[in-house]
Amino acid sequence: MSDTTQSTTPHLPGEGPRVLIIGAGSRGRTYANAVASSTNGVVAAVAEPDNYKRSRFGETMIWGSQAPPPEGAAFADWKDFIPYERHRRARVEAGERDVPPGVDAVFVCVLDEMHREVVEALAGLGSLHIMCEKPLATTLQDCIEMHKALESNKIPGGQQAVFSIGHVLRYSPHNMLLRKLVVQDRVIGDILSVVHTEPVGWWHFAHSYVRGNWRRESTSAPSLLTKSCHDIDVLLWLLCSPADCSAPDCPPPHLPSTVASTGSLQYFKRSRKPAEAGPATNCLSCPAESACKYSAKRIYVGEDLAGVESGNKRWPVSIVLPDIESYGSESEARDAMLKELAKDYGPDTPDSEVARWNWFGRCVYESENDVCDNQVVTMSWDDDPLPGNGAGSSSRNSKTAVFHMVAHTKKICDRYTHLYGVHGEIFADSTTITVEDFNTGQTTVHRPPVESHSHGGGDTGLTRQFILAVDKVKNHGWSTDRAQRELIGCTLDEAVRSHAMVFCAEAARRGRKVVDWAEWWAAVIQAKSTS
C-alpha cells in the first residue's frame, strides 16, 4: 500500500463512492463510522432485518431523525436490494428521469455463515466493489466457490471489481510499520522464527465463544477461523509476501512447507463446573453466582467490567440487548438486561432451537459450546531461493512461525509478537515495537500512532484503503488491478490462501499430524477448484 493519507480528505457528498452496508451490527456500524469520518465515501444505504438496528443506523448515518428513508436507502432484507438494483439500472437504461443514484461499493457484515450467499449474489449482480468481513466463509468449499464468483465480478469495461477482506490487522499503523521494519528495512536481517500470541480475554471468550454466535462449529466454524484467521493472515503477510507487490510482476510468495497444530476445549465444559453451583444452568438461579467470575450479572449488569451499571451501551451489552439505547434510564436498561439473561433452555428444548439463539445468561460450564479455547499452530518454511538469486536469497530462507490463541488472559485481543532474526530481535505489542540490534547493541523503541482502539486503527485503515481504491477507479481513471495492488495490498488469491492455511491447520490438529502444505494444497484446494 503506497497511499495512506486519505484521513484528511474532506467529506464530499455525491462525489465520493456511495456505499451500502449489509448488516447494521457492531461491525457494520464500525465500518460505516470509518467511511464517514475518514474517507470521502458516502454511506447511502443499509440492509438490516432488525427494525430497531436499521432505523437507528439510518437515522444516525443516512437520512436523519426528521425524515423518512429515501428510495433505495433502507432494506429489511439484503435480498430485497438485488431486484431493486436490477430494476433501478433498467430505469436508468430506459432513460427515466430522477432515478436515485446507485451504490459503488458494499460492505458485507452479516453472520459468517451467510457470507457466501450474499457475496455470490452481489458478484452476480456485477459492477459493485465488495468488502467482506472476515472470515470469508465458514467452510473451505465456500471459500473456493466465493473465489470463483468474485473473479467473475466485473465493472463496466470488463475489469474485475475491487475486493477486500476484513483482515484489519494488515491496516493498523502498528502492523504496517512492523512489516516495513521487518520486510523492507530488514532491521534484524533474515527472520529465523516468530512467536505470535492472541490473548482473547477470559470474559471476552466466554461472551463470544461460549455463550455467543461463535460457540459451535456446526453453526459457525472453528475458533481458529472465526477469531484468528487474520492473525494467520498477518503472519503470512510478514513471512510469505514479497516486500513490494505494487508492480504487476510481483515475485511469487515464499510458501510454508509444513503445518502442525494442537488445541482443544480445555476449560469451558461441565467437568470444570464448581460443585457449589449444583445443577443450575443459568446464572440468575445459581447459588454460586455471586462468587463466579463468569457470572452473567457481573459481565452484563455490574459496573466492574462493561455492564449496564458501568454506563456502557456498546459492546458487549449491545449484543445482548440490541435496543439498549432506547431505554430511558439505567434502571430500565438493567431490568431489560436481567429479563434477557433469565432466558434458558432445558433438556427437552430441540437442539435446533438451542443453536438458533444466543444464551448470554447460561452457565459457561453448561453451554453446548465445542470450539477450542486454546490452540497452537506451527508453520515452517524451507530454503526456497528464486532462480538466479542464490542460496542466500533474502527473506526466502528457512524459518518457523508459532501462533498461540489463548482464552484465559487478562489482555483482551492486545496481541504481542516476538520476531527473531540473524541480526537482532523485535518485540511488538499493541502500542510499541522494540528493536534489539545485535551488531550495535542499540535498542530502538517505535511508538506508532494509534488512530483508534478498534484493532489498533486497523478498522479505519482498511476502510480508508478500500474506499480510496474505489474512488481511484470511479473518479481518477485507475485500473482495478492497480487499485487492488497499490491500495488494498492484498489479492483475492492471498485472502483465500490465508483461509486455506486455517483449514490446513485444523486438518493437522484433528489428524494429530504434521501436514505437508504443498501436498495438501494439491490434494484439497486444486482438486476442489477443478471439481
Side-chain angles (χ1 to χ4, degrees):
M1 293 172 287
S2 59
D3 191 336
T4 58
T5 61
Q6 189 67 7
S7 61
T8 58
T9 299
H11 184 71
L12 300 173
E15 296 184 12
R18 292 171 54 82
V19 174
L20 163 66
I21 305 290
I22 299 182
S26 60
R27 297 305 295 160
R29 293 194 304 271
T30 294
Y31 289 124
N33 286 328
V35 170
S37 65
S38 300
T39 80
N40 71 329
V42 178
V43 179
V46 59
E48 166 58 50
D50 184 277
N51 291 334
Y52 176 81
K53 289 182 181 179
R54 185 175 64 257
S55 297
R56 180 68 177 168
F57 183 99
E59 290 172 359
T60 57
M61 300 299 303
I62 306 174
W63 56 80
S65 59
Q66 304 301 317
E71 180 186 339
F75 302 91
D77 191 321
W78 69 267
K79 294 179 181 178
D80 296 337
F81 168 75
I82 303 299
Y84 167 81
E85 178 59 15
R86 286 201 178 99
H87 181 58
R88 191 201 65 81
R89 293 179 186 181
R91 292 163 64 193
V92 172
E93 188 70 22
E96 184 177 328
R97 300 178 60 183
D98 300 324
V99 179
V103 296
D104 305 293
V106 183
F107 284 76
V108 178
C109 306
V110 296
L111 295 173
D112 301 344
E113 58 270 25
M114 295 172 60
H115 285 181
R116 176 181 174 181
E117 182 183 15
V118 176
V119 169
E120 286 186 337
L122 293 172
L125 187 61
S127 300
L128 293 171
H129 307 286
I130 299 172
M131 200 301 295
C132 181
E133 177 60 309
K134 65 89 180 169
L136 184 62
T138 56
T139 70
L140 182 57
Q141 187 62 48
D142 281 358
C143 289
I144 292 170
E145 295 303 321
M146 289 171 72
H147 181 277
K148 296 176 183 176
L150 288 163
E151 282 188 318
S152 69
N153 182 24
K154 309 293 185 181
I155 64 171
Q159 299 180 70
Q160 185 175 316
V162 172
F163 173 75
S164 184
I165 182 70
H167 285 159
V168 294
L169 296 183
R170 287 186 178 225
Y171 299 90
S172 72
H174 178 280
N175 287 335
M176 291 175 71
L177 176 58
L178 178 62
R179 176 174 157 83
K180 180 179 183 297
L181 292 170
V182 171
V183 180
Q184 296 177 341
D185 299 345
R186 295 175 49 78
V187 295
I188 59 173
D190 289 342
I191 300 299
L192 299 172
S193 62
V194 176
V195 179
H196 175 66
T197 301
E198 180 180 16
V200 182
W202 60 274
W203 66 267
H204 174 16
F205 193 94
H207 166 74
S208 296
Y209 302 94
V210 179
R211 292 167 167 150
N213 282 337
W214 301 281
R215 66 189 185 270
R216 291 173 62 153
E217 289 192 18
S218 61
T219 55
S220 179
S223 53
L224 184 66
L225 182 74
T226 58
K227 185 70 187 84
S228 302
C229 66
H230 54 179
D231 292 274
I232 297 297
D233 175 73
V234 85
L235 285 171
L236 297 181
W237 183 51
L238 288 171
L239 301 175
C240 282
S241 301
D244 181 13
C245 274
S246 60
D249 57 345
C250 178
H254 183 199
L255 298 176
S257 55
T258 64
V259 182
S261 181
T262 58
S264 64
L265 175 59
Q266 290 186 331
Y267 184 72
F268 295 103
K269 50 190 178 181
R270 187 170 295 168
S271 62
R272 296 278 193 171
K273 186 178 182 180
E276 54 269 27
T281 61
N282 185 278
C283 290
L284 273 60
S285 59
C286 178
E289 179 273 323
S290 61
C292 179
K293 60 180 175 290
Y294 293 105
S295 161
K297 287 180 66 176
R298 180 186 180 193
I299 294 173
Y300 303 114
V301 179
E303 61 182 0
D304 292 344
L305 297 172
V308 172
E309 292 176 352
S310 71
N312 178 39
K313 293 185 178 181
R314 300 177 67 84
W315 185 92
V317 294
S318 63
I319 303 299
V320 184
L321 208 61
D323 61 347
I324 190 169
E325 293 184 4
S326 68
Y327 293 95
S329 66
E330 183 179 292
S331 62
E332 289 178 340
R334 184 181 187 277
D335 290 345
M337 178 64 73
L338 289 171
K339 182 179 179 180
E340 185 67 27
L341 296 179
K343 295 178 180 179
D344 201 3
Y345 58 87
D348 296 329
T349 307
D351 184 68
S352 59
E353 187 71 8
V354 174
R356 182 182 176 189
W357 305 105
N358 295 325
W359 306 88
F360 291 108
R362 185 78 177 182
C363 172
V364 296
Y365 308 103
E366 292 281 358
S367 184
E368 85 286 12
N369 59 298
D370 59 11
V371 299
C372 292
D373 56 16
N374 184 76
Q375 187 164 359
V376 175
V377 178
T378 303
M379 297 172 282
S380 65
W381 283 257
D382 293 335
D383 290 327
D384 186 25
L386 292 174
N389 286 2
S393 178
S394 64
S395 76
R396 297 185 68 90
N397 296 288
S398 60
K399 53 205 170 192
T400 303
V402 176
F403 169 66
H404 185 199
M405 184 274 289
V406 54
H408 307 282
T409 62
K410 179 179 179 180
K411 292 179 180 291
I412 298 179
C413 304
D414 290 334
R415 297 159 170 88
Y416 50 93
T417 311
H418 287 88
L419 302 99
Y420 304 96
V422 297
H423 299 314
E425 65 179 87
I426 292 175
F427 174 72
D429 57 21
S430 296
T431 57
T432 63
I433 301 172
T434 302
V435 181
E436 304 284 356
D437 190 316
F438 296 162
N439 293 316
T440 66
Q442 183 177 357
T443 300
T444 304
V445 180
H446 301 269
R447 292 181 172 83
V450 178
E451 191 169 9
S452 73
H453 293 293
S454 187
H455 294 106
D459 293 343
T460 300
L462 181 151
T463 304
R464 178 185 301 129
Q465 295 305 116
F466 177 65
I467 296 299
L468 181 57
V470 175
D471 183 63
K472 291 293 188 183
V473 172
K474 177 183 178 181
N475 295 320
H476 301 280
W478 280 35
S479 69
T480 57
D481 178 68
R482 180 185 177 189
Q484 189 79 40
R485 286 185 286 102
E486 295 188 23
L487 298 176
I488 302 299
C490 177
T491 66
L492 178 57
D493 287 347
E494 281 184 275
V496 172
R497 184 187 304 124
S498 62
H499 283 74
M501 178 59 69
V502 173
F503 288 107
C504 181
E506 277 297 289
R509 181 181 72 86
R510 294 175 185 278
R512 299 190 175 191
K513 60 186 178 181
V514 176
V515 175
D516 183 287
W517 169 256
E519 291 181 1
W520 182 86
W521 181 273
V524 178
I525 304 298
Q526 291 179 343
K528 288 179 178 291
S529 299
T530 56
S531 61

